[in-house]
Amino acid sequence: ISVAVNSPSGVTPTINYQWYYKNVGSNSDFVALTGANSATLPSASIPVDVAATTIYYCVVTATGENVNATPVASKKLTVVVL
């Protein structure tokens, strides 16, 4: 699972990624995945030893000189482990 970012010519932003997850059926909000801060969701972040349905998404932010960007959330991905 990965996210791609494009920026205008001449602008070199610092791109920050944060992945979030939520187990379907829980009453909790989405939780930030510790250490999951790259464009690709680490496969180790997806537990495969417990049957569950989990929703993941990424929030991407850009900072830097001449950068005026609003954080953007990726589409949500549902992973079902049987």
Side-chain angles (χ1 to χ4, degrees):
I1 306 166
S2 63
V3 176
V5 175
N6 296 311
S7 61
S9 178
V11 176
T12 308
T14 298
I15 305 297
N16 301 294
Y17 305 89
Q18 181 59 62
W19 289 89
Y20 293 85
Y21 77 98
K22 177 181 179 174
N23 291 320
V24 172
S26 77
N27 292 327
S28 64
D29 291 330
F30 280 89
V31 177
L33 278 164
T34 303
N37 51 12
S38 65
T40 301
L41 176 64
S43 59
S45 297
I46 302 173
V48 295
D49 57 344
V50 178
T53 301
T54 308
I55 302 170
Y56 296 89
Y57 76 98
C58 183
V59 173
V60 182
T61 58
T63 59
E65 189 175 337
N66 297 321
V67 174
N68 182 12
T70 301
V72 175
S74 69
K75 291 183 179 180
K76 292 182 174 118
L77 171 74
T78 301
V79 176
V80 178
V81 176
L82 302 174

